[in-house]
């Protein structure tokens, strides 16, 4: 069985981390986000098609150097084709029923159970559903008691939301779904394809599940997923190799070759590889990119440092994204794709 993983897009809400890195390669507990997903795919998935555009070479290199135990095809889009266009672009690699997965989700969904539910209902398409309070940032399903979805609205205003069950970003699909997607243009799965399949077939289903679900779309949820997984695994912190820690880590995660000076304290913070944090520094809710240096006696709260940034001693910063280098060519200055209220 094939699984298409949607791993394109710039990840603008995660900048400046995504100025230098594909969103799907951002580490969660020192392991690329996309591997968390690949590791929970059913064993029946023997081929993974990564639908990518931005930072394609980085993703390709990662999978050339790291074997994930399954065939991986990195399928490029010269221009972003949207969630639907990316699926259509992978059609040539798909032989029968297939899975589609957003790459920025961490959850407890059992895909085997979802596939069984899909077969039982003779569905054309089944999507995973998760209940949330703030539906406006997601796609929302109008779902009947038996799981049949009769309407779907992407990023509705709260008053227009048909339910509080949102598209949790994992789909099981029959190949006829490809017939609903035009070739070679930007197509939104959620705005164009889902509503059409619902109208034409009436065999569009939603699979609800228990446990946890998180969308790693923004910095706050990126930090939160670390905290959540550490609690789930009952660990207080996470450290890569060759670190020297003289301070204290609380619900924090550091990569390889990180130096933490004396009396420095990290609370709910993430530090990438090759970082030096001098003495008497306090970080709360921060992300520190690769090769950064933070001068002693600094105090940072809700701060994200892009790769290679250096902060002077006694820096006192709150609520800031720090990036002093040129913004990469072609990186959009606003979110593209499934924007709220578009
Ligand atoms: N290949 C490719 N090409 N992938 C893309 C493109 C593209 O042009 N645009 C987005 N993606 C990928 C993203 O990398 C992500 O894994 C997935 O498609 C969804 O895109 P997001 O930009 O993260 O969308 P979202 O979070 O605003 O909304 C989506 O996810 C929600 C759940 O987290 C929608 O599917 C919503 O309906 C859903 O509720
Ligand atoms: Mg997302």
């Amino acid at each position: 069985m094939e699984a298409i993983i949607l791993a394109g897009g710039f990840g603008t809400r995660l900048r400046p981390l995504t100025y230098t890195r594909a969103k799907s390669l951002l580490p969660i507990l020192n392991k690329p986000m996309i591997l968390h997903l690949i590791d929970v795919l059913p064993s029946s998935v023997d081929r993974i098609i990564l639908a990518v555009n931005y930072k394609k070479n980085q993703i390709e290199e990662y999978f050339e150097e790291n074997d994930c135990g399954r065939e991986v095809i990195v399928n490029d889009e010269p221009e972003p084709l949207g969630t639907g266009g990316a699926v259509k672009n992978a059609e040539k690699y798909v032989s029968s029923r297939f899975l589609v997965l957003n790459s920025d989700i961490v959850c407890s969904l059992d895909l085997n159970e979802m596939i069984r539910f899909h077969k039982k209902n003779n569905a054309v398409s089944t999507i995973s559903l998760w209940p949330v309070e703030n539906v406006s940032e997601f796609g929302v399903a109008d779902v009947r008691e038996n799981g049949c979805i009769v309407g779907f609205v992407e990023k509705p205003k709260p008053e227009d939301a048909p339910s509080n069950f949102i598209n949790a970003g994992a789909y099981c699909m029959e190949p006829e779904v490809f017939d609903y997607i035009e070739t070679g243009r930007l197509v939104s799965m959620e705005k164009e394809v889902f509503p059409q399949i619902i109208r034409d077939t009436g065999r569009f289903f939603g699979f609800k599940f228990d446990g946890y679900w998180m969308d790693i779309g923004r910095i706050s949820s990126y930090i939160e997923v670390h905290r959540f997984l550490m609690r789930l695994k009952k660990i207080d912190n996470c450290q890569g190799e060759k670190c020297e820690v003289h301070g204290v880590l609380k619900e924090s995660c550091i990569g390889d070759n990180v130096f933490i000076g004396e009396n420095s304290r990290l609370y709910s913070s993430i530090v990438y590889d090759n970082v030096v944090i001098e003495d008497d520094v306090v970080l709360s809710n921060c992300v520190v990119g690769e090769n950064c240096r933070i001068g002693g006696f600094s105090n940072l709260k809700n701060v994200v440092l892009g790769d290679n940034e250096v902060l002077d001693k006694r820096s006192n910063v709150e609520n800031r994204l720090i990036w002093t280098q040129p913004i990469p060519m072609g990186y959009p200055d606003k979110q593209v794709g499934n924007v709220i209220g578009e």
Side-chain angles (χ1 to χ4, degrees), residues 67-82:
D67 181 12
C68 73
R70 319 189 201 218
E71 181 190 0
V72 174
I73 297 169
V74 179
N75 197 30
D76 184 24
E77 296 149 37
E79 293 284 309
L81 290 172

Side-chain angles (χ1 to χ4, degrees), residues 154-171:
E154 182 66 13
K155 313 237 162 75
K157 293 195 189 109
E159 61 271 26
D160 297 336
S163 78
N164 68 330
F165 279 98
I166 59 136
N167 166 18
Y171 322 139

Side-chain angles (χ1 to χ4, degrees), residues 89-104:
N89 197 38
E91 183 175 7
K92 53 186 173 293
Y93 298 115
V94 174
S95 50
S96 53
R97 178 178 298 138
F98 62 103
L99 300 174
V100 178
L101 304 151
N102 287 359
S103 60
D104 57 353

